[in-house]
Amino acid sequence: MDFRLRAQAIHLIALVVLSSIIAPSLQSGQFCDAGIGYGESGCGISSSKILIKGGTVVNAHHQEVSDVYVEDGIIAAVKPNIKVGDDVKIIDATGKFVMPGGIDPHTHLAMEFMGTQTIDDFFSGQAAALAGGTTMHIDFVIPVKGSLSAGFEAYVEKAKKSCMDYGFHMAITKWDETVASDMEIMVKEKGINSFKFFLAYKGSLMISDDLLLEGLKKCKSLGALAMVHAENGDAVFEGQKRMIELGITGPEGHALSRPPVLEGEATSRAIRLAGFINTPLYVVHVMSIDAMEEIATARKSGQRVIGEPVVSGLVLDDSVLWDPDFNTAAKYVMSPPIRAPGHGKALQAALSTGLLQLVGTDHCTFNSTQKTLGIDDFRKIPNGVNGIEERMHLVWDTMVESGQISVTDYVRLTSTECARIFNIYPRKGAIFAGSDADIIILNPNSSFEISSSSHHSRSDTNVYEGRQGKGKVEVTIAGGRIVWENGKLNVVPGSGKYIKMPPFSYLFDGIEKADATHFSSLRAPVKRYKATS
Ligand code: URP
Ligand code: ZN
Ligand code: ZN
């Protein structure tokens, strides 16, 4: 089957599955007749029925005042004046925005990294996410000694305590026949449709251009999205050596050793190699103008490149790495580094004009004790910052409150585009009848304040400590359950579902045609006549 047929078949199957989930409730007495009202007594009511009344319902392309009725984990109806019985929980959303729960495309829960493990696991990280209005995340499976299947099993185990829906990307850290065939199994059987290639972290996760090319070819053949951590790892290694030789061993050495030019170079290289193979590329944690401009140029030329900035790169700057207190400075160490003032503003503008497509967090938290592993040498500070709980509020306050983006854009950047890229739209990323009931209610007139004393992460620090802003997620509904209301979490370990993500997203549409056009333009091989002597 060719790319398009396969993608269409997968879409068809998804629609059939979706309608088989919705249809019974639409047809059965449980849902009742619209004239009688949803969920009235005698209609087979369960406590999983919720009516959100009078809010402004926002999707990526449209907003209108409407009611939203939820039953058994699914959005059953979106229309004005829905009538229900006494046994349906009613939430008044008048004057508030009713939006799809956030989807965080980039997290690292319970990840073993740099000699330790991230402090938030699949329960604490997800609980924090829900308190901040994120209802699904996609975490990176790290192979075990290069083995994808062992890595997958390990993450299945870690994710057993999940309290919200999640999906997996997978890192590729070595190359051989087993890895290649395991990639196929991951895509065709395990629901993974994206693979990350690290061009940095020399000596641990970093791969060569040779491997990247093999990986890009394999991704293309499977309809899986190739993702890159774009920094030149060899040059970073050299930069780190230089800093140590200069006697710079503190957190500022982290920023100085891996400047934006190394991010720009690797972004450009990965884009060019993906273009050479003609497969879509997703650049994770875009932190600099240099990388953003490479993505913008490629997109202008028609190449399918997605750029994901993360919230830390949008709202923080690198001055914090020069803080005289080690603990304060070290908590901001992540890779690529948080950049000098100006980069964040430029990344915000790129999001608002469509040059970058969605916002992640790279939530990868280490507490202050873990960060002190690098007290004498910045190269040993575990890389990573928090954000899974803060992203929705910070993007709202920074981008919507400032007038840079509309409310519909906000939905696109925080959920819809992620769902489209990873091929789970409109099950996720939309407030439609039939979509999963992952919903937030945001009060634009309320305010938030961030502090490690009140956040839900297990970390004892927060890189956004003390930040205040407008717009507060007052209610989070995940899988049809109210999990956050009145400042209280109500979460159950094991209640989250693994979301399989099918291959051949919209990014693959037309790839085969472009290949055919390219091959037919080669004017080769040239038929040559044998010279007669
Ligand atoms: O510093 C970071 N970004 N830590 C997580 C690993 C990665 O590169 O995404
Ligand atoms: Zn990375
Ligand atoms: Zn990451």
Side-chain angles (χ1 to χ4, degrees):
M1 218 186 283
D2 74 11
F3 281 129
R4 288 183 69 83
L5 279 176
R6 229 179 299 179
Q8 281 164 359
I10 286 160
H11 260 104
L12 205 63
I13 293 166
L15 279 175
V16 170
V17 170
L18 204 60
S19 51
S20 70
I21 296 166
I22 304 156
S25 63
L26 287 175
Q27 287 158 10
S28 72
Q30 246 199 16
F31 198 74
C32 295
D33 180 276
I36 302 167
Y38 301 108
E40 279 190 345
S41 302
C43 291
I45 316 308
S46 79
S47 58
S48 65
K49 296 177 179 183
I50 305 163
L51 179 68
I52 304 167
K53 273 207 88 57
T56 300
V57 175
V58 190
N59 280 301
H61 298 103
H62 184 66
Q63 65 181 71
E64 66 182 335
V65 174
S66 184
D67 294 350
V68 178
Y69 180 65
V70 168
E71 187 171 309
D72 293 335
I74 303 289
I75 297 173
V78 183
K79 59 182 187 176
N81 299 318
I82 297 175
K83 301 278 185 294
V84 292
D86 295 344
D87 37 11
V88 174
K89 158 94 179 178
I90 297 181
I91 304 174
D92 181 7
T94 309
K96 302 174 187 176
F97 292 105
V98 179
M99 301 185 279
I103 309 176
D104 189 339
H106 187 155
T107 61
H108 302 278
L109 301 182
M111 178 207 198
E112 276 130 58
F113 190 47
M114 298 186 73
T116 182
Q117 186 177 116
T118 54
I119 193 86
D120 279 324
D121 62 16
F122 276 77
F123 183 68
S124 68
Q126 293 184 351
L130 291 167
T134 287
T135 51
M136 179 178 169
H137 70 114
I138 315 179
D139 210 83
F140 288 87
V141 171
I142 305 298
V144 174
K145 297 193 178 88
S147 162
L148 309 196
S149 44
F152 185 79
E153 289 315 317
Y155 272 74
V156 166
E157 210 44 50
K158 290 174 200 256
K160 278 190 173 150
K161 50 176 87 156
S162 288
C163 55
M164 77 185 203
D165 290 358
Y166 61 95
F168 288 146
H169 312 288
M170 184 168 267
I172 301 295
T173 54
K174 74 169 193 185
W175 193 257
D176 58 26
E177 276 312 307
T178 310
V179 170
S181 71
D182 274 359
M183 280 177 76
E184 205 158 325
I185 293 168
M186 292 304 142
V187 172
K188 293 183 176 163
E189 296 171 24
K190 306 291 187 193
I192 289 179
N193 68 2
S194 48
F195 295 95
K196 178 173 175 182
F197 301 88
F198 288 89
L199 307 186
Y201 302 125
K202 186 172 170 146
S204 60
L205 300 170
M206 180 172 148
I207 51 102
S208 63
D209 287 356
D210 191 20
L211 193 158
L212 178 60
L213 279 164
E214 291 299 336
L216 290 169
K217 284 192 287 180
K218 192 73 190 171
C219 280
K220 180 181 181 180
S221 74
L222 296 170
L225 185 56
M227 312 175 88
V228 279
H229 173 129
E231 287 182 288
N232 185 315
D234 286 320
V236 167
F237 189 75
E238 169 62 23
Q240 291 173 328
K241 237 172 30 188
R242 277 192 209 162
M243 290 308 120
I244 298 297
E245 279 162 19
L246 289 168
I248 302 169
T249 58
E252 70 280 14
H254 179 74
L256 294 169
S257 64
R258 44 206 312 157
V261 65
L262 303 188
E263 193 187 341
E265 186 279 332
T267 306
S268 157
R269 180 162 34 106
I271 287 173
R272 281 160 166 76
L273 294 181
F276 175 62
I277 301 296
N278 188 27
T279 196
L281 183 73
Y282 182 112
V283 184
V284 304
H285 46 43
V286 175
M287 298 294 281
S288 64
I289 294 171
D290 308 49
M292 179 268 285
E293 284 181 343
E294 294 294 340
I295 293 164
T297 306
R299 286 178 66 87
K300 221 158 51 182
S301 78
Q303 199 178 331
R304 305 210 179 155
V305 182
I306 301 291
E308 170 215 79
V310 291
V311 71
S312 52
L314 294 175
V315 308
L316 299 173
D317 70 62
D318 70 352
S319 56
V320 284
L321 289 159
W322 272 259
D323 195 286
D325 175 51
F326 173 85
N327 285 331
T328 303
K331 76 176 173 181
Y332 296 98
V333 167
M334 66 167 288
S335 295
I338 293 161
R339 301 301 186 185
H343 288 268
K345 259 279 169 215
L347 296 176
Q348 291 174 27
L351 274 172
S352 68
T353 53
L355 297 176
L356 299 173
Q357 288 67 50
L358 73 170
V359 183
T361 63
D362 199 1
H363 184 84
C364 182
T365 29
F366 300 101
N367 65 20
S368 46
T369 311
Q370 292 173 300
K371 289 277 183 180
T372 55
L373 286 169
I375 185 101
D376 298 320
D377 183 343
F378 68 83
R379 294 172 299 182
K380 298 185 181 147
I381 301 171
N383 287 197
V385 301
N386 64 291
I388 201 166
E389 184 168 354
E390 296 80 11
R391 179 185 70 132
M392 297 295 279
H393 286 124
L394 289 171
V395 174
W396 180 275
D397 185 55
T398 307
M399 304 288 289
V400 182
E401 277 299 323
S402 66
Q404 291 187 81
I405 60 169
S406 65
V407 183
T408 49
D409 283 339
Y410 174 78
V411 168
R412 179 172 53 79
L413 297 172
T414 56
S415 68
T416 311
E417 194 51 35
C418 182
R420 289 185 70 233
I421 290 167
F422 295 104
N423 221 4
I424 49 173
Y425 180 85
R427 177 179 179 186
K428 300 286 187 188
I431 305 281
F432 294 153
S435 299
D436 285 0
D438 294 343
I439 302 168
I440 59 169
I441 301 174
L442 184 143
N443 184 347
N445 299 314
S446 194
S447 55
F448 67 86
E449 178 164 1
I450 298 169
S451 169
S452 60
S453 62
S454 56
H455 71 196
H456 298 82
S457 161
R458 287 211 183 108
S459 179
D460 59 344
T461 66
N462 191 310
V463 295
Y464 308 105
E465 187 66 41
R467 276 196 181 237
Q468 300 175 340
K470 267 193 90 183
K472 174 99 179 76
V473 175
E474 292 184 337
V475 178
T476 305
I477 298 171
R481 292 183 311 274
I482 299 169
V483 290
W484 172 252
E485 194 180 22
N486 302 322
K488 285 200 183 66
L489 267 174
N490 180 11
V491 288
V492 183
S495 58
K497 290 187 301 295
Y498 175 58
I499 305 295
K500 285 188 165 185
M501 298 182 288
F504 295 103
S505 74
Y506 80 93
L507 291 166
F508 284 83
D509 288 355
I511 290 273
E512 272 200 340
K513 281 188 185 150
D515 276 344
T517 308
H518 172 66
F519 293 137
S520 66
S521 75
L522 297 178
R523 300 185 301 115
V526 175
K527 285 200 182 96
R528 295 200 168 74
Y529 303 105
K530 287 232 170 77
T532 49
S533 55

